[in-house]
Structure formats: C-alpha cells, structure tokens
Amino acid sequence: MWLVFLLLATWTFPAQAAGPRSVAVWIPGRADGLAARQMVYLTKRIEERLPHHFAFEVQTGAACPPEPELLAQVRGGRIEIAVLGDAVIDEVPRLSLFRLPWLFESREHVQHALYAGLEDEIRTHVEETLKVVVVGLYENGFHHIRADRAILGPEDLAQRKILVNDGRKMRDVMRSLGAIPQKYPVEQAAQAMEQGIVDSFDGMMDALELLPIGNKAPVITLTRHVYEPFFVLASQPFWESLSDTERAALTEIGVDFSDTAAKLAATYYDAARKRLPRTIRLQPLNPERFAAVTAQRRAAYEQSFGADWMELVDIGREETAQPAR
C-alpha cells in the first residue's frame, strides 16, 4: 500500500529541476576596477548563452585573498575561477615576455601579436605548466611612472626609489632600468615619501591616479614600459565537472570576449586620465632612449626561451604598421 502511495506521489508531484550552479569568480583589487568590470560583461555573456546553468558570484575587494594565494587555490581545485595577473607571470618563467621593457608599442600591437598565434601559444603553455584551464587572456594595460619630475631617459631612472608592489619580475624590470624598487603598503605612500623610502611610483593609470599622496609626485610619465594582461583561470576539477556543451560554450565565449575586454580597458583608462586633477601633468616618453637595455633584455629572453614567441611579437608589430585597408 505504501509503495503504491509513493509511486502515485512521484507521478503526481515530479521532482523540481536543479537550479543554476553557483560559481565564485575571485578577483583581487578594487570592486570597481577594470578586471571586475570585464568579468561582469563576461559572466553576463555566459549566462545569456547558457541560461539557468550558472549563477556567478564575483568576489573582490578587501575580502579577496592576494594573487599568489588565489593562484594556489585555483591550482589546487579549492576555488572555481580566479582572475590573475602578476602571480601567473611570476609563476610561469616564459611569461617574463610581459616583463620585457618596451616590447609592445601599443595595445594594437599586442592584439595583432595575440591574433598572430601568440595567444594560443600562451594558453597552451600556461595550462601545461600550471595544470589549470585558461578561459580568457584579456587586456589589463600598460605601466607608467609617477614622480616629482618627468622620466625622459635612463639617467632619470637611475637610483630612483620606485614603489613596485607588483610581482618580483616587475621589480627585476626596475632594477634593469637602474632604479631601486621598493615594496611598501600603498596606503602609506605619503608616509613613505616623507621618510625618503620612495620617491616614485610604478603602476597602471588608475592606480597612479588613486595614490593617497595629494599633490606630491605631480608628473605621470607615459612610459608604457611593460604591458600586462589578465588571465582568467578555471580549476581542472571545476572544468571537468562541466558538460561538453558547457565547456564548448565557455571556450568559445572566452576567446571571442577578447575584443570587448580591450574596448572596456581603453574606455576605463581614458576615464582615469580625465579624472586626473589639473595639478598632475602627463609627460610622453620616447622609448628610443632606452633602446640598449631593451635589446639586452630581449636577447637574454631569447637565449633562455628561444625566439618563436618573439617572432609572433614581431609579426604583430608589422601588422600594426600596415596602413588600414
């Protein structure tokens, strides 16, 4: 009798379909930063393509662990997705490509190099090295320098005490340029200047804009000395738990989103420039003054890792120089 009742109940009240899967996306940095904005658009595209499959929860701001810890967690399968930059570059030796000064001339140069095959090479190499899945490789931007005077040549960087809180390879870049990189809490930047610990700052335009130093260091030299990407990494356990349809959709969307990410970056940094107070002066730089160190760093990289990635960078430069058709 009870068996008949249970069967009737099953037929009468079918089981509810499972709801969308909750997926956390971990993003170090500010909640209103570029990476967070890019991920809002990316996750929206995924949800539009795969309705009711995922409910993405962006985790950023003060509650987000630092990059090295997030990288360890996504590699260990303890989190699903993380958006990282420095930690990946520091962990994968061949990615010191992104720490070669003045290798890339413009964001158009970067995009052409990636389209020429560099993106596929990087994706494969990172996945093999870190045992993760690269969902996306997106634009972050170029580094600049804020100081009390313009940086026009190597002599202007010699012995400069530059605050560099990014990865260890970024500090190596500054040493190669003759500067003295310092690591110090950015919240205490004004105090560090008063105590003579730092006199200059390396960073993206938004970070330089938001430095809590008032009118000190009133010149931002648009050095564009290194380009830095974002890596959207998924853990292998998360990736393997997806259906073939879900993996195919995330792979396609992740690649196609590159152009949108670049446009978002351009808009974001243009807005950061416009927000600068009038007391801040922007100074262009001619990288030809740094040609010797640029050539030395490139030669050392090719000696360690070969020239195949550099050939793709050069193809990107040639494509960028071609007149628009």
Side-chain angles (χ1 to χ4, degrees):
M1 188 67 168
W2 280 105
L3 179 59
V4 173
F5 177 79
L6 289 172
L7 288 172
L8 288 172
T10 302
W11 292 332
T12 308
F13 305 104
Q16 295 270 337
R21 176 178 180 177
S22 178
V23 177
V25 180
W26 294 85
I27 309 172
R30 305 195 325 273
D32 62 346
L34 174 59
R37 296 184 184 199
Q38 289 173 332
M39 290 308 100
V40 167
Y41 282 85
L42 177 63
T43 55
K44 183 178 180 181
R45 283 197 184 180
I46 296 171
E47 290 170 344
E48 289 173 349
R49 175 78 170 270
L50 298 170
H52 313 302
H53 283 244
F54 304 107
F56 291 101
E57 300 175 1
V58 173
Q59 307 289 336
T60 189
C64 192
E67 280 203 21
E69 183 178 338
L70 282 178
L71 179 57
Q73 291 190 30
V74 76
R75 293 181 71 183
R78 296 188 293 278
I79 59 176
E80 295 104 339
I81 297 175
V83 183
L84 304 170
D86 288 316
V88 179
I89 294 172
D90 277 354
E91 193 67 20
V92 180
R94 202 171 183 188
L95 289 182
S96 54
L97 176 88
F98 292 109
R99 292 295 180 255
L100 297 179
W102 293 287
L103 179 67
F104 294 105
E105 298 173 354
S106 64
R107 60 166 49 98
E108 291 77 19
H109 179 194
V110 176
Q111 291 300 314
H112 280 121
L114 293 174
Y115 295 156
L118 184 60
E119 179 174 357
D120 292 338
E121 291 285 335
I122 291 173
R123 281 174 175 269
T124 300
H125 186 71
V126 170
E127 290 181 347
E128 291 175 350
T129 304
L130 300 181
K131 309 305 179 187
V132 295
V133 175
V134 179
V135 177
L137 174 60
Y138 304 134
E139 176 160 337
N140 185 349
F142 284 92
H143 283 240
H144 307 290
I145 295 175
R146 181 171 173 179
D148 58 347
R149 65 176 187 267
I151 306 297
L152 300 178
E155 66 278 4
D156 297 314
L157 276 175
Q159 301 301 304
R160 298 293 291 181
K161 300 175 183 177
I162 300 185
L163 182 68
V164 183
N165 282 336
D166 293 328
R168 63 181 183 275
K169 289 182 182 176
M170 193 63 232
R171 290 189 285 278
D172 289 342
V173 171
M174 285 302 164
R175 291 189 189 94
S176 75
L177 297 176
I180 304 172
Q182 304 285 358
K183 190 173 182 179
Y184 205 80
V186 70
E187 298 82 7
Q188 302 174 30
Q191 177 183 344
M193 290 195 75
E194 292 172 1
Q195 295 177 354
I197 298 172
V198 301
D199 53 33
S200 311
F201 304 87
D202 165 271
M204 308 291 184
M205 182 61 70
D206 60 334
L208 298 180
E209 171 212 353
L210 295 173
L211 281 170
I213 58 174
N215 293 326
K216 298 176 181 177
V219 181
I220 295 179
T221 304
L222 303 175
T223 53
R224 303 168 67 87
H225 48 285
V226 295
Y227 172 89
E228 187 165 310
F230 285 130
F231 297 86
V232 182
L233 306 182
S235 70
Q236 284 192 337
F238 167 69
W239 193 254
E240 292 167 0
S241 72
L242 302 178
S243 67
D244 291 343
T245 299
E246 290 170 335
R247 283 196 292 267
L250 264 65
T251 299
E252 181 180 337
I253 294 169
V255 172
D256 290 345
F257 186 70
S258 179
D259 286 342
T260 300
K263 291 175 182 176
L264 289 170
T267 301
Y268 177 83
Y269 286 118
D270 285 346
R273 284 196 189 195
K274 292 177 181 177
R275 289 194 303 267
L276 289 171
R278 294 183 179 181
T279 53
I280 299 295
R281 177 167 63 93
L282 297 179
Q283 171 67 49
L285 175 138
N286 182 357
E288 289 298 322
R289 296 282 302 276
F290 295 88
V293 68
T294 301
Q296 291 169 4
R297 295 278 290 185
R298 172 168 177 155
Y301 180 90
E302 290 183 347
Q303 185 174 8
S304 297
F305 303 109
D308 52 336
W309 284 16
M310 285 299 184
E311 292 171 358
L312 297 173
V313 171
D314 291 340
I315 290 173
R317 182 179 293 106
E318 293 167 4
E319 288 289 328
T320 306
Q322 294 294 325
R325 293 188 290 269

